[in-house]
mmCIF file of all heavy atoms in Angstrom:
data_model
loop_
_atom_site.group_PDB
_atom_site.id
_atom_site.type_symbol
_atom_site.label_atom_id
_atom_site.label_comp_id
_atom_site.label_asym_id
_atom_site.label_seq_id
_atom_site.Cartn_x
_atom_site.Cartn_y
_atom_site.Cartn_z
ATOM 1 N N ALA A 57 38.957 -37.560 10.041
ATOM 2 C CA ALA A 57 37.907 -38.103 10.900
ATOM 3 C C ALA A 57 36.948 -38.970 10.084
ATOM 4 O O ALA A 57 36.458 -39.988 10.580
ATOM 5 C CB ALA A 57 37.156 -36.972 11.590
ATOM 6 N N ARG A 58 36.688 -38.585 8.847
ATOM 7 C CA ARG A 58 35.801 -39.359 7.980
ATOM 8 C C ARG A 58 36.506 -40.571 7.379
ATOM 9 O O ARG A 58 35.862 -41.476 6.879
ATOM 10 C CB ARG A 58 35.271 -38.478 6.845
ATOM 11 C CG ARG A 58 34.258 -37.457 7.321
ATOM 12 C CD ARG A 58 33.849 -36.477 6.247
ATOM 13 N NE ARG A 58 33.477 -37.089 4.981
ATOM 14 C CZ ARG A 58 33.306 -36.385 3.869
ATOM 15 N NH1 ARG A 58 33.481 -35.078 3.859
ATOM 16 N NH2 ARG A 58 32.963 -36.990 2.753
ATOM 17 N N PHE A 59 37.824 -40.577 7.428
ATOM 18 C CA PHE A 59 38.609 -41.639 6.802
ATOM 19 C C PHE A 59 39.404 -42.380 7.869
ATOM 20 O O PHE A 59 40.427 -41.923 8.319
ATOM 21 C CB PHE A 59 39.544 -41.031 5.756
ATOM 22 C CG PHE A 59 40.396 -42.040 5.047
ATOM 23 C CD1 PHE A 59 39.828 -43.107 4.384
ATOM 24 C CD2 PHE A 59 41.760 -41.914 5.028
ATOM 25 C CE1 PHE A 59 40.608 -44.043 3.718
ATOM 26 C CE2 PHE A 59 42.565 -42.836 4.367
ATOM 27 C CZ PHE A 59 41.980 -43.902 3.713
ATOM 28 N N SER A 60 38.902 -43.518 8.273
ATOM 29 C CA SER A 60 39.564 -44.320 9.302
ATOM 30 C C SER A 60 40.199 -45.537 8.644
ATOM 31 O O SER A 60 39.525 -46.291 7.934
ATOM 32 C CB SER A 60 38.536 -44.743 10.346
ATOM 33 O OG SER A 60 39.134 -45.579 11.295
ATOM 34 N N HIS A 61 41.497 -45.706 8.857
ATOM 35 C CA HIS A 61 42.214 -46.843 8.281
ATOM 36 C C HIS A 61 43.416 -47.155 9.162
ATOM 37 O O HIS A 61 44.047 -46.243 9.703
ATOM 38 C CB HIS A 61 42.673 -46.521 6.853
ATOM 39 C CG HIS A 61 43.147 -47.721 6.101
ATOM 40 N ND1 HIS A 61 44.409 -48.247 6.272
ATOM 41 C CD2 HIS A 61 42.524 -48.505 5.201
ATOM 42 C CE1 HIS A 61 44.547 -49.308 5.496
ATOM 43 N NE2 HIS A 61 43.419 -49.485 4.835
ATOM 44 N N ALA A 62 43.746 -48.423 9.297
ATOM 45 C CA ALA A 62 44.860 -48.848 10.153
ATOM 46 C C ALA A 62 46.194 -48.259 9.723
ATOM 47 O O ALA A 62 47.094 -48.105 10.551
ATOM 48 C CB ALA A 62 44.947 -50.376 10.167
ATOM 49 N N ASN A 63 46.342 -47.900 8.440
ATOM 50 C CA ASN A 63 47.600 -47.359 7.942
ATOM 51 C C ASN A 63 47.577 -45.840 7.781
ATOM 52 O O ASN A 63 48.399 -45.267 7.077
ATOM 53 C CB ASN A 63 47.976 -48.010 6.603
ATOM 54 C CG ASN A 63 48.257 -49.486 6.738
ATOM 55 O OD1 ASN A 63 47.516 -50.300 6.217
ATOM 56 N ND2 ASN A 63 49.303 -49.848 7.453
ATOM 57 N N VAL A 64 46.627 -45.192 8.440
ATOM 58 C CA VAL A 64 46.515 -43.732 8.429
ATOM 59 C C VAL A 64 46.429 -43.253 9.870
ATOM 60 O O VAL A 64 45.755 -43.868 10.702
ATOM 61 C CB VAL A 64 45.270 -43.270 7.630
ATOM 62 C CG1 VAL A 64 45.087 -41.769 7.716
ATOM 63 C CG2 VAL A 64 45.381 -43.706 6.173
ATOM 64 N N VAL A 65 47.116 -42.166 10.175
ATOM 65 C CA VAL A 65 47.114 -41.611 11.524
ATOM 66 C C VAL A 65 45.687 -41.256 11.947
ATOM 67 O O VAL A 65 44.939 -40.638 11.186
ATOM 68 C CB VAL A 65 48.035 -40.368 11.590
ATOM 69 C CG1 VAL A 65 47.916 -39.669 12.918
ATOM 70 C CG2 VAL A 65 49.470 -40.778 11.319
ATOM 71 N N THR A 66 45.312 -41.632 13.168
ATOM 72 C CA THR A 66 43.978 -41.378 13.712
ATOM 73 C C THR A 66 43.909 -39.999 14.347
ATOM 74 O O THR A 66 44.795 -39.615 15.107
ATOM 75 C CB THR A 66 43.637 -42.438 14.784
ATOM 76 O OG1 THR A 66 43.716 -43.729 14.193
ATOM 77 C CG2 THR A 66 42.242 -42.227 15.349
ATOM 78 N N VAL A 67 42.840 -39.257 14.042
ATOM 79 C CA VAL A 67 42.597 -37.953 14.662
ATOM 80 C C VAL A 67 41.723 -38.166 15.890
ATOM 81 O O VAL A 67 40.706 -38.846 15.831
ATOM 82 C CB VAL A 67 41.900 -36.982 13.685
ATOM 83 C CG1 VAL A 67 41.381 -35.757 14.410
ATOM 84 C CG2 VAL A 67 42.846 -36.571 12.591
ATOM 85 N N PHE A 68 42.155 -37.569 17.022
ATOM 86 C CA PHE A 68 41.381 -37.668 18.263
ATOM 87 C C PHE A 68 40.495 -36.450 18.481
ATOM 88 O O PHE A 68 39.385 -36.573 18.983
ATOM 89 C CB PHE A 68 42.311 -37.836 19.466
ATOM 90 C CG PHE A 68 43.171 -39.073 19.415
ATOM 91 C CD1 PHE A 68 44.521 -38.992 19.710
ATOM 92 C CD2 PHE A 68 42.648 -40.307 19.072
ATOM 93 C CE1 PHE A 68 45.325 -40.122 19.677
ATOM 94 C CE2 PHE A 68 43.434 -41.450 19.025
ATOM 95 C CZ PHE A 68 44.781 -41.353 19.337
ATOM 96 N N ALA A 69 40.988 -35.264 18.142
ATOM 97 C CA ALA A 69 40.205 -34.053 18.419
ATOM 98 C C ALA A 69 40.694 -32.885 17.583
ATOM 99 O O ALA A 69 41.876 -32.798 17.234
ATOM 100 C CB ALA A 69 40.318 -33.697 19.897
ATOM 101 N N PHE A 70 39.769 -31.989 17.282
ATOM 102 C CA PHE A 70 40.076 -30.698 16.668
ATOM 103 C C PHE A 70 39.608 -29.651 17.665
ATOM 104 O O PHE A 70 38.434 -29.585 18.003
ATOM 105 C CB PHE A 70 39.347 -30.539 15.323
ATOM 106 C CG PHE A 70 39.548 -29.186 14.700
ATOM 107 C CD1 PHE A 70 40.781 -28.828 14.177
ATOM 108 C CD2 PHE A 70 38.514 -28.268 14.639
ATOM 109 C CE1 PHE A 70 40.978 -27.577 13.602
ATOM 110 C CE2 PHE A 70 38.695 -27.019 14.068
ATOM 111 C CZ PHE A 70 39.933 -26.678 13.552
ATOM 112 N N GLU A 71 40.551 -28.881 18.196
ATOM 113 C CA GLU A 71 40.250 -27.927 19.264
ATOM 114 C C GLU A 71 40.859 -26.570 18.939
ATOM 115 O O GLU A 71 41.603 -26.420 17.976
ATOM 116 C CB GLU A 71 40.817 -28.427 20.604
ATOM 117 C CG GLU A 71 40.324 -29.793 21.032
ATOM 118 C CD GLU A 71 38.904 -29.792 21.527
ATOM 119 O OE1 GLU A 71 38.385 -28.712 21.895
ATOM 120 O OE2 GLU A 71 38.290 -30.881 21.548
#
Side-chain angles (χ1 to χ4, degrees):
R58 288 173 49 191
F59 180 56
S60 176
H61 192 280
N63 295 113
V64 175
V65 173
T66 302
V67 168
F68 299 134
F70 176 71
E71 303 286 341

